[in-house]
Each structure stands twice: as structure tokens, then as C-alpha cells.
Amino acid sequence: MLKDITLGQFFPGKSILHRLDPRMKIVLSILYIVVIFLCKNLAAFAFITLFTAAMVVLSGISLRTILKGIKPLIFILAFTAIYNLFFYGGDRLLVKLGFIEIYYEGAMYAVAMVVRIVCLLVGSSVLLTYTTSPIMLTDGLERLLSPLSKLKLPVHEFSMMMTIALRFIPTLIEETDKIMNAQKARGSDFSSGSLVRRAKALIPILIPLFISSFRRAGDLAVAMECRCYRGGNGRTKMTQLHLSFRDFAMLFVILLCGAAVLLINRFVPGFSL
Amino acid sequence: MNKLELKNVSYTYSAGTPFCKKALDSVSLSFEKGQIIGLIGHTGCGKSTLVQLLNGLLTPDEGAVLLDGQDINRKGGDLRSVRFRVGLVFQYPEYQLFEETVYADIAYGPKNMGLSKEETDRRVRETVQFVGLSEDCLSMSPFDLSGGQKRRAAVAGIMAMEPEVLVLDEPAAGLDPIGREEILGGIFSYQRKKKSTVIIVSHSMEDMARYSDRLVVMNRGRVLMQGSCREVFSRPERLTEIGLDIPQITRFMLALRKRGIDVRTDIFTVEEAKDEIIRVSGGRHRA
Ligand SMILES: Nc1ncnc2c1ncn2[C@@H]1O[C@H](COP(=O)(O)OP(=O)(O)OP(=O)(O)O)[C@@H](O)[C@H]1O
Ligand SMILES: [Mg+2]
């Protein structure tokens, strides 16, 4: 069912990753992504995989949830792997089947790419979305970007829009489910027939969904105005963010990890991108 | 013969996640053909979950839902045809409207069943009579209707499929008293005419006392009591214990009893109460 999509969902908890300052988490995620792209050889990829696994353990999020999150991406992963396997040239031929040639470099590259995508997704979702509530996330983003408001960029409005969008994703999913069920009860059939018929079968879902989204947006605007919302000017926050020791400790760990990757790239021999 | 049965049905939402929530716990029920059954219970006790199991929108974790003795979720079974036989009107069904006209929206279900144009037309016109929409509404856009009219159109959309079992999840919630009366009365006369089974979920004890032949009381995902209205309302303490109420008039009779007037207390409609009061007062104040 639609509700089973776990990517981008928040799982409340009390782990150290949950308690980090959201601003620091955003910075950490960016650094983490940079580190992933620094990896050049297999040893470095193995290292970053271990590092990602350690973060998963630290977050206390079950492996099943993580795997469920990757499941929708199986297709993309398989495509990436196969594409690189077959079309990446090199000089060490491994297999030759008719016109298909698989090279050692291609195989390594395929592995590296898949590892990179998986680490990227799992790591950033464990660091950010799984362990940070959407409110904290946008709050952190707003603070982080607040210097830009000096340049007259609408940082507050931007983050408010994000908060609202994030807030309504689960609502929309729930609503889609509900409407689908109501139409199924009237005999809609979404899973058989030609492509055109299936596309047509979506109309009874999309129209009510659009209508209720517009209505909800209007209601929300009115409700916000009734509470005198008038943008970010002079607005104070109920929760104040504080950087603490653990935030800097994690920053140190990530930097250390980056340094380690650079060293491995340089000193461990083997296949290199 | 039993038409629709639940056998030891359990259902858990989001099983295996931190949000898991057991909504139904080993529920066994059977719904007799041709009865109106009222399903009552506190908010969150699992009524909406139960009704969605009845037409296979949810699949039980344990146990089975049997229609004419056959498990509706069996392998190779046709759920779509089950949904034509067990029609479900959701809680706040207004959001399911989507067609350009009310007519087309009500005809959506019958059309999916593959009925002929004439039959569909007959059913649409018949059901709007039941739910009390005027024929002029048929050519309007469903989005131009009032809230109460939308509700009627949505109910009509399921009724027009003429299911053997019609299930309604709080059909009258949020309507004004006249609206409630009309919609419930419409369902009642539909049932008497088609002799189908009707299951109504409601929070209003008064409505349930008036219309249903049998009551099922649920509490925290289990069936607490079931029986005729008389049997259920004769034990008000069990109902109040779980945060439910008894019809006002029954409370009134209980209060009279407390003051030493020897009236029967298994009374739940105003009509009956009138007769009873006239009886104990010796028939002196005949109206
Ligand atoms: N989609 C869902 N995901 C998770 N939990 C749910 C979901 N729907 C319902 N629940 C939970 O299951 C329980 C039963 O819900 P249900 O909707 O069946 O109650 P109900 O008896 O219909 O209540 P009401 O009278 O308020 O409509 C509730 O505790 C609710 O929190
Ligand atoms: Mg409900």
C-alpha cells in the first residue's frame, strides 16, 4: 500500500542522531555526501559502507525499515549496475558472450556505483529524514540560511513553504488511500486493462484529491491569517536550537572519516575510479 | 442462513513498526439476511476498521470474512464482485464525488457493474428518491451541492449498486436533525423494499434504537455485547462504563423509576414511553 513507503518518513526515537542539532545534521549530511564522492577505490567504498552501517546502528532504526526504504529503488539500482557492467569499457576482459563484453573495470564500476547510491540514500535518510522531525528539519534549514535574508531573500517564507509541504505529504498519502478505497468500493479497477483504461481509472482519484487539496490550502491560509501570521518579521521561536558537545563530536567524526577516505585513496592499491 | 460472517478476525495497523496498533482483536460476528444491524462503540474502537474488512478493502491478519460461507480473501477469489455484493459507504463519503454531474456520479458504480443504460437510469432515479434528493439536482455538478446533499449523493452512489449487504459508516454524522431523519429514513425504506441486509455504524443511540433490529456494541477492538435493542439498553451500566450512552428517553424512564413510579425501563422510543406513561397513570390522560 501507499502507506508502506518509508523513504522520507520520520521515526521518533532517542538515539544520539535524533538528538543532534538539526543545523549540524544538515551540515553533516552535506559533508557526508562529499565524503562519499571522495571515495576512489574499493577499500574506500568498503570503509564508507562500514561507516554508513555504523550510523544505522547508532540511529536505532531497524534494518527492516531501511531495507523497505531501498526497495522502491531496486529498479534504478539494477539498471545502474547492468548499464555499467555491459557498457563500461576497459582493458581486462572478463567474459565475452557474443557481442556482450564484460570488463573488470566495468564490474568494479558497477559495484562502486551501486554502493555509492545505496550509501547516499541510506546515510542521508538516517542522518536527516528518519531521525529528524520535519519541523526541526525546516527550522534548522531556516536558521542555516538566515544570513541570506540580509540579501532580501525570502528565507522564512521558503522554509514555511517547506514545512507545510512536508507536513502535508502524509496527509495526502492518507487521503489518496482513502479515496482509492472509496472508489474501489464502487468497483473501480486500477490494476487491469489497457494503459489507457488504467490512466482513465485514475480520474476518480485525482479529481477528489485536487479538490480537497485546494480546499485544504484555502482553509490553512485562513487559519494562519486568523492567528495573525504575517511572515517572518519579528517572529520568535518556541524551541531554541543549541549546539552542544555531541554536535561538535559528530562533526569531528565526519571530518575524520573524510580524512581516512583520502588516505585510503592514496595509499591502498587496487582498482581506482 | 447466515450471509456475512466474521470468524475470529484480528487486524493490526502498521504491523511491525513503532506505530503498530491493534484495531480489532478476535472478533466473531454474523449478520443475518434482511436485518438492520446497528454497530455502536466509542471513538477509535475499531468500527471503521471492521466495516472495511467486510468488503475486502482490508485483509484480516487472522481469521476470515465469510460471504455465503466462502472466504472473500481466498486465493483466486474475485474481490471486485464481493464489493458489488457488499456495498460500503465510508465515513464522510462526500470526498468520493468526482463526476461532472450528480447523475453520472451515482451511475458510476452501476456502470462499473456493467449494467445496461436503462437499468442504470432506473436505479439512479430510484435511489435519489430514497435519499431525498430532488431530480433537479441530477444535472448539477456534485461540487455545487450543499454538504448534506453531497452526503446523500454519495450514499445514493452505493445504494444504486443494490448490494445484498449495504454497510454505512456513520451516514448521518454532522447533519442537522431533519437531514439525519431523512437520510436514515431513506435507508430504512430502501431496506424494507429491497430486503437487503443493512449495517449502520452510528454514535446516536436514539437513531439506532429507532431503526435497527439488532445492536452490536464494540469496545477496544472487541465485541462487548450484542442483541436486540431491548437486551442491550436494558443494561445501561455496561454501556456507560465504556463511555456510551443510552437513549435519552430510557434515561428518563429510569429517572421516573428512581422516583418511585413503577414504569418499565426497557423502553427506547418516545412512542413506547408515551404508551407506558399512559398505562401507569391509569389511562386517565388519553391524548
Ligand atoms: N490508517 C490507520 N493507521 C494506523 N492506525 C489506525 C488507522 N486507522 C485507524 N487506526 C487506529 O485503529 C483504531 C480503530 O480505528 P477506527 O477508525 O476503526 O475507529 P472507529 O471506531 O471507526 O472510530 P470513530 O468512531 O472515531 O470513527 C484507532 O485506535 C485508530 O487510532
Ligand atoms: Mg470510524
Side-chain angles (χ1 to χ4, degrees), chain A residues 3 174, chain B residues 13-14 19 21-23 41-50 91 169-170 203:
Chain A
K3 266 185 232 134
E174 207 170 281
Chain B
Y13 281 104
S14 319
F19 308 106
K21 163 94 203 165
K22 191 152 196 171
H42 197 257
T43 284
C45 71
K47 305 181 296 293
S48 300
T49 312
L50 192 143
Q91 201 164 0
D169 197 349
E170 304 200 21
H203 278 138

Side-chain angles (χ1 to χ4, degrees), chain B residues 47 60 127 146 271:
Chain B
K47 305 181 296 293
T127 42
S146 77
E271 282 301 305

Side-chain angles (χ1 to χ4, degrees), chain B:
Chain B
M1 153 146 194
N2 288 337
K3 267 268 169 205
L4 187 57
E5 268 184 287
L6 294 170
K7 276 228 168 92
N8 296 318
V9 170
S10 300
Y11 188 83
T12 308
Y13 281 104
S14 319
T17 70
F19 308 106
C20 92
K21 163 94 203 165
K22 191 152 196 171
L24 287 180
D25 189 5
S26 195
V27 171
S28 295
L29 279 174
S30 70
F31 301 105
E32 307 286 330
K33 192 172 158 59
Q35 279 193 330
I36 298 188
I37 297 122
L39 191 59
I40 55 180
H42 197 257
T43 284
C45 71
K47 305 181 296 293
S48 300
T49 312
L50 192 143
V51 297
Q52 287 177 62
L53 284 157
L54 294 179
N55 72 345
L57 285 172
L58 299 177
T59 315
D61 298 332
E62 284 164 42
V65 182
L66 307 176
L67 183 61
D68 278 341
Q70 271 195 316
D71 187 347
I72 61 167
N73 295 301
R74 71 187 179 280
K75 275 220 166 66
D78 181 11
L79 269 178
R80 194 154 172 254
S81 69
V82 168
R83 288 179 191 143
F84 294 137
R85 296 179 60 193
V86 182
L88 169 59
V89 182
F90 273 81
Q91 201 164 0
Y92 300 106
E94 295 82 293
Y95 58 79
Q96 70 177 32
L97 303 172
F98 72 98
E99 282 279 11
E100 275 173 61
T101 63
V102 174
Y103 183 96
D105 205 279
I106 298 175
Y108 179 69
K111 227 171 62 192
N112 280 334
M113 294 171 78
L115 295 178
S116 70
K117 240 187 155 125
E118 294 75 40
E119 176 65 9
T120 305
D121 186 69
R122 181 190 71 71
R123 290 192 180 187
V124 172
R125 295 191 189 278
E126 191 185 34
T127 42
V128 289
Q129 297 276 322
F130 280 126
V131 297
L133 275 178
S134 68
E135 293 244 342
D136 314 336
C137 290
L138 284 177
S139 56
M140 285 167 70
S141 157
F143 305 108
D144 292 341
L145 299 179
S146 77
Q149 287 172 320
K150 277 186 194 159
R151 178 76 57 84
R152 288 160 203 233
V155 171
I158 305 289
M159 246 186 209
M161 289 161 48
E162 299 196 351
E164 292 159 43
V165 184
L166 177 65
V167 188
L168 302 115
D169 197 349
E170 304 200 21
L175 295 184
D176 63 298
I178 293 174
R180 296 181 74 87
E181 197 71 5
E182 280 182 1
I183 228 166
L184 290 171
I187 293 165
F188 186 73
S189 45
Y190 166 87
Q191 193 270 345
R192 287 295 117 114
K193 176 131 188 240
K194 305 286 173 197
K195 304 274 178 275
S196 53
T197 313
V198 173
I199 302 170
I200 305 180
V201 174
S202 176
H203 278 138
S204 161
M205 300 302 143
E206 272 79 18
D207 292 346
M208 288 297 92
R210 278 193 57 182
Y211 292 110
S212 53
D213 301 313
R214 198 160 73 89
L215 282 179
V216 174
V217 186
M218 294 191 48
N219 186 33
R220 301 210 185 157
R222 286 168 175 275
V223 175
L224 185 79
M225 272 196 273
Q226 51 177 317
S228 65
C229 297
R230 205 170 294 283
E231 285 160 9
V232 170
F233 290 134
S234 63
R235 303 160 77 182
E237 64 298 332
R238 288 203 73 181
L239 288 176
T240 40
E241 237 169 60
I242 60 165
L244 291 178
D245 213 347
I246 49 174
Q248 237 171 13
I249 196 73
T250 314
R251 240 183 306 153
F252 174 72
M253 298 308 268
L254 282 169
L256 282 183
R257 180 68 163 264
K258 238 187 185 162
R259 299 211 168 176
I261 302 170
D262 189 25
V263 289
R264 279 176 27 224
T265 55
D266 57 345
I267 275 170
F268 36 84
T269 62
V270 178
E271 282 301 305
E272 266 185 307
K274 190 184 93 189
D275 291 343
E276 177 67 7
I277 290 171
I278 289 171
R279 188 186 65 78
V280 296
S281 56
R284 270 170 291 144
H285 307 286
R286 199 161 288 279

Side-chain angles (χ1 to χ4, degrees), chain A residues 2 56 91-92 95 115 118 136 152 163 174 244 253:
Chain A
L2 281 173
V56 171
D91 14 79
R92 285 168 64 185
V95 191
V115 170
V118 170
M136 291 293 268
K152 298 257 185 289
T163 311
E174 207 170 281
S244 65
V253 169

